[in-house]
Amino acid sequence: MSATIATPTPSRLRLGLRAATIAVILLLALMPVLNRLPADHALHISDFVVSITGKWICYAILALAIDLAWGYAGLLSLGHGAFFALGGYAIGMHLMRLIGPRGVYGHPVLPDFMVFLGYTDLPIFWWGFQSFPYALFMALFVPGVLAGVVGFLAFRSRITGVYFSIITQAMTYALMLAFFRNDMGFGGNNGFTDFKELLGMPLNAGGTRAALFYASLATLVGTYFLCAWITRSKLGRVLIAVRDAESRVRFLGYSVTQAKLFVFVLSAMISGLAGALYVPQVGIINPGEFSPGNSIEAVIWVAVGGRGTLIGAALGAFSVNAMKTWLTTIAPDLWLFALGGLFVAVTLLLPKGLLGLLRGRRS
Amino acid sequence: MSTKGRLYLDGVSVVFDGFRALNNLSLVVEPGEMRAVIGPNGAGKTTMMDVITGKTRPTSGTVRFGDHDLTRMDEADIANLGIGRKFQKPTVFDALTVFENLELALKAPRGPFACLRWILTGEAKARIDQVMEETGLTARAGDLAAILSHGQRQWLEIGMLLMQDPQLLLVDEPVAGMTDQETEHTAALLRRIAGERSVVVVEHDLEFVRALGRKVTVLHEGTMLSEGPIDQVQNDPRVIEVYLGR
Ligand SMILES: Nc1ncnc2c1ncn2[C@@H]1O[C@H](COP(=O)(O)OP(=O)(O)O)[C@@H](O)[C@H]1O
Ligand SMILES: [Mg+2]
């Protein structure tokens, strides 16, 4: 931005932001390529950086999903980590089924933990997970149904604000406790790991990792366009109206329950997809993903980046996680304090987040 | 006589924690009629509108619009029947522009998917332009509702009612806090709106009610105290005692 222009016009700023976003996406797309360069090349990017960036891309998808519900429709969910984790578990079940006889116990069908726990047959809810399309479908379907049920009950009874937040937080907590149990059939506290392959490609191969990275990046871009389409449609304006004056919207003849349900279910499905992309990249899923802290952290990304701005949500996910990675290497004990402090500071000083800062202090 | 488009309240009571905000209230507004409702603060005027629009359920009594039992319907369904409401405290959507506020109110399919697919046609745009013209907001079309003056917010809300094209319009204290000039403009606007629709206007301001020049209902402590032309009502000894005489 030119320094001679004190207050750039919004359209100019928007153009600048758009150009910067495209540049960042192109840079991200280059990362797996630069990773292939010889290790002593000046532009070489390490495996670590590529894999952590792949994770952050999944977090950014989750942030977009949270922003759609919170930033536009005012639904502050403190349980979106559950949808993310359920998507991760769905793809994790597929990855476990693909291990086949290569497990420690060598059972042709049952995953190791089931053999260890004395299962003789595959539980019914594990059926079909050998199919990738089915697992991917379930990664969207299960979070969608859960959000549909929780949302329907809450919205129909007009539970709003902090009460809704508490319900969603309780939801993820309850799921965490359930998934910790061995008799649930999801591997208890160990969860799933030791994955071998996905779609016929070994998971630890460089090419597979690059493919997963690109799949995540493409999903991030796709999710952005989906969210942008929704928020710029009349439905987006209905959601903003619901966020700001819910009861007034009813007197205009709109069903607030339907509008909220639409956005909450869609948001949960996007979160599930993010989780499904995340698990093959990190190679593990366990009940810790359901922990209430994860959901709260994800909300903080959105608050930091700029609630109600899609680019801001993604920016928040990248920047807070970059800070986390940096801080947890130099002073791991400080991270939670820093996160809490960041949240308070953003709430008090930057209600529009980092993106608000970029756009200047004009309201 | 046909009941179509007729608002019918009979024996309506609303009790809040033992307090009777409405007490056996009966009222009929014929299609196309414009009715002014006056009464001191706390008389139950707003509660009456809450009952008609589904915000508050009556403790007892009948509330019908045409053949529909309004006590069994929710706010959105009642709005879609053709009952529009302007609130005492102007409520417009601050984060949206004047145009967008009117567009949201425009009569059109209300479901999420229909809203997602919504495309602003020339016809819809012409209708919005017309209402902005009527309410004097044309120059503010692209401004956020948040930066409108108090009077303009009231007109925007009335404009939103017009977009809904309701059969019955409930207007709660439209001129509270307005300048004389704004009050006059509002009275003219409401008179123009009336005609084929029924309008119920709640107001304190007697000059305003006089300017409307229609039948008046006086509410007091949740019941109807008097009903008739303004001059007759103003000379009713009971009315003078509780309201006008002070
Ligand atoms: N939700 C409520 N709970 C308890 N009391 C209420 C409620 N709404 C209104 N009231 C009471 O009912 C009475 C009538 O209120 P209202 O209909 O707002 O009067 P008006 O609009 O004529 O000034 C007032 O005494 C008010 O305090
Ligand atoms: Mg009132």
Side-chain angles (χ1 to χ4, degrees):
Chain A
M1 206 69 49
S2 164
T4 56
I5 301 166
T7 48
T9 61
S11 64
R12 203 190 189 100
L13 223 145
R14 190 159 290 173
L15 281 181
L17 205 59
R18 194 165 297 170
T21 308
I22 292 171
V24 168
I25 289 169
L26 291 178
L27 282 178
L28 287 173
L30 261 182
M31 289 180 76
V33 178
L34 299 180
N35 176 240
R36 291 300 181 90
L37 293 173
D40 53 1
H41 194 285
L43 291 176
H44 173 79
I45 291 180
S46 70
D47 287 352
F48 170 76
V49 172
V50 177
S51 81
I52 204 163
T53 308
K55 271 173 62 176
W56 294 350
I57 291 173
C58 298
Y59 290 155
I61 300 168
L62 175 61
L64 282 177
I66 291 174
D67 195 29
L68 187 65
W70 182 35
Y72 291 89
L75 296 169
L76 175 53
S77 162
L78 294 180
H80 257 56
F83 304 131
F84 184 85
L86 286 170
Y89 264 95
I91 218 71
M93 287 163 83
H94 175 61
L95 295 166
M96 291 300 272
R97 293 291 310 269
L98 291 185
I99 296 173
R102 286 169 290 184
V104 177
Y105 293 105
H107 193 286
V109 177
L110 296 186
D112 279 347
F113 78 89
M114 288 190 192
V115 180
F116 180 75
L117 290 173
Y119 283 66
T120 51
D121 302 301
L122 197 66
I124 292 174
F125 53 87
W126 276 78
W127 291 7
F129 275 95
Q130 70 276 23
S131 148
F132 175 75
Y134 177 76
L136 194 59
F137 168 76
M138 291 305 264
L140 296 163
F141 182 74
V142 173
V145 167
L146 177 65
V149 171
V150 171
F152 179 74
L153 294 174
F155 305 147
R156 197 195 46 169
S157 328
R158 305 210 174 160
I159 291 170
T160 56
V162 68
Y163 300 100
F164 177 71
S165 305
I166 291 170
I167 285 175
T168 52
Q169 176 95 120
M171 172 190 80
T172 196
Y173 188 66
L175 282 169
M176 179 178 74
L177 296 183
F179 274 74
F180 264 124
R181 297 169 60 98
N182 280 330
D183 54 12
M184 277 284 285
F186 294 109
N189 62 346
N190 294 319
F192 309 145
T193 189
D194 284 334
F195 307 134
K196 307 286 188 228
E197 60 175 39
L198 181 61
L199 295 170
M201 302 183 295
L203 268 184
N204 53 12
T208 315
R209 310 200 128 266
L212 283 167
F213 184 98
Y214 284 123
S216 307
L217 189 58
T219 305
L220 175 63
V221 173
T223 303
Y224 170 79
F225 281 114
L226 176 70
C227 293
W229 176 55
I230 291 169
T231 56
R232 285 174 199 167
S233 73
K234 192 167 90 169
L235 179 61
R237 298 191 282 283
V238 171
L239 295 175
I240 289 174
V242 166
R243 179 191 73 190
D244 293 346
E246 176 173 331
S247 82
R248 186 71 183 87
V249 180
R250 287 200 184 93
F251 291 107
L252 286 182
Y254 291 93
S255 163
V256 169
T257 304
Q258 277 179 24
K260 284 183 173 178
L261 212 49
F262 173 88
V263 80
F264 193 54
V265 168
L266 180 66
S267 173
M269 290 168 73
I270 295 171
S271 306
L273 186 57
L277 288 161
Y278 177 83
V279 165
Q281 297 189 69
V282 297
I284 183 167
I285 172 82
N286 61 39
E289 286 299 335
F290 286 103
S291 84
N294 282 19
S295 295
I296 294 173
E297 211 169 306
V299 164
I300 296 178
W301 308 335
V302 177
V304 168
R307 169 189 178 203
T309 59
L310 296 172
I311 299 277
L315 178 72
F318 282 107
S319 51
V320 176
N321 279 294
M323 192 176 139
K324 179 178 183 173
T325 303
W326 170 70
L327 207 63
T328 46
T329 36
I330 58 164
D333 297 337
L334 282 182
W335 169 239
L336 278 182
F337 295 101
L339 187 67
L342 189 65
F343 186 55
V344 172
V346 165
T347 310
L348 293 179
L349 304 175
L350 286 179
K352 293 190 171 166
L354 289 175
L355 211 73
L357 194 68
L358 284 180
R359 284 184 177 163
R361 295 218 165 210
R362 294 161 307 122
S363 68
Chain B
M1 186 167 176
S2 157
T3 60
K4 194 172 179 305
R6 177 197 214 195
L7 178 69
Y8 176 86
L9 274 70
D10 188 36
V12 175
S13 295
V14 172
V15 182
F16 295 117
D17 299 323
F19 173 77
R20 286 189 170 266
L22 288 184
N23 190 4
N24 204 19
L25 174 70
S26 302
L27 177 89
V28 177
V29 180
E30 297 295 346
E33 183 184 349
M34 179 184 238
R35 175 74 61 91
V37 176
I38 61 173
N41 247 328
K45 305 180 298 289
T46 299
T47 307
M48 178 190 81
M49 296 204 164
D50 288 346
V51 164
I52 297 168
T53 54
K55 190 177 181 202
T56 301
R57 297 271 173 241
T59 317
S60 61
T62 311
V63 186
R64 304 183 73 84
F65 183 65
D67 298 330
H68 301 274
D69 179 356
L70 301 184
T71 61
R72 293 165 171 277
M73 299 171 70
D74 73 15
E75 298 98 313
D77 291 336
I78 292 174
N80 288 324
L81 264 191
I83 299 183
R85 175 172 185 183
K86 205 203 85 54
F87 287 79
Q88 186 165 353
K89 182 171 159 278
T91 343
V92 295
F93 304 116
D94 281 349
L96 302 178
T97 65
V98 167
F99 188 93
E100 289 169 339
N101 268 278
L102 294 171
E103 187 194 20
L104 271 200
L106 176 70
K107 202 172 187 174
R110 295 305 205 210
F113 294 99
C115 292
L116 201 52
R117 286 193 306 264
W118 165 258
I119 292 165
L120 185 69
T121 59
E123 197 188 335
K125 189 172 176 307
R127 176 94 186 89
I128 296 172
D129 287 341
Q130 181 200 339
V131 166
M132 288 196 299
E133 196 67 48
E134 275 178 8
T135 50
L137 291 170
T138 307
R140 315 291 318 246
D143 289 337
L144 291 183
I147 63 170
L148 297 182
S149 74
H150 176 73
Q152 287 168 332
R153 290 168 75 83
Q154 299 274 24
W155 295 330
L156 175 56
E157 211 185 2
I158 294 174
M160 289 165 73
L161 277 181
L162 290 178
M163 299 304 309
Q164 285 175 266
D165 193 20
Q167 283 176 270
L168 169 64
L169 245 136
L170 306 172
V171 189
D172 201 348
E173 304 206 15
V175 298
M178 279 192 177
T179 63
D180 288 352
Q181 203 185 350
E182 288 173 330
T183 302
E184 236 165 73
H185 178 102
T186 308
L189 188 59
L190 287 175
R191 270 197 310 266
R192 205 157 359 113
I193 288 169
E196 72 272 35
R197 351 175 181 258
S198 332
V199 183
V200 176
V201 186
V202 158
E203 201 32 81
H204 266 320
D205 185 324
L206 281 179
E207 281 320 304
F208 177 77
V209 172
R210 188 173 285 284
L212 291 176
R214 305 296 167 99
K215 189 172 172 184
V216 178
T217 297
V218 184
L219 274 192
H220 177 59
E221 293 179 352
T223 14
M224 194 219 286
L225 193 67
S226 181
E227 199 166 76
I230 180 84
D231 291 319
Q232 178 192 321
V233 161
Q234 257 182 321
N235 292 320
D236 185 326
R238 285 170 304 172
V239 175
I240 294 173
E241 188 188 331
V242 305
Y243 184 47
L244 302 169
R246 283 183 300 177

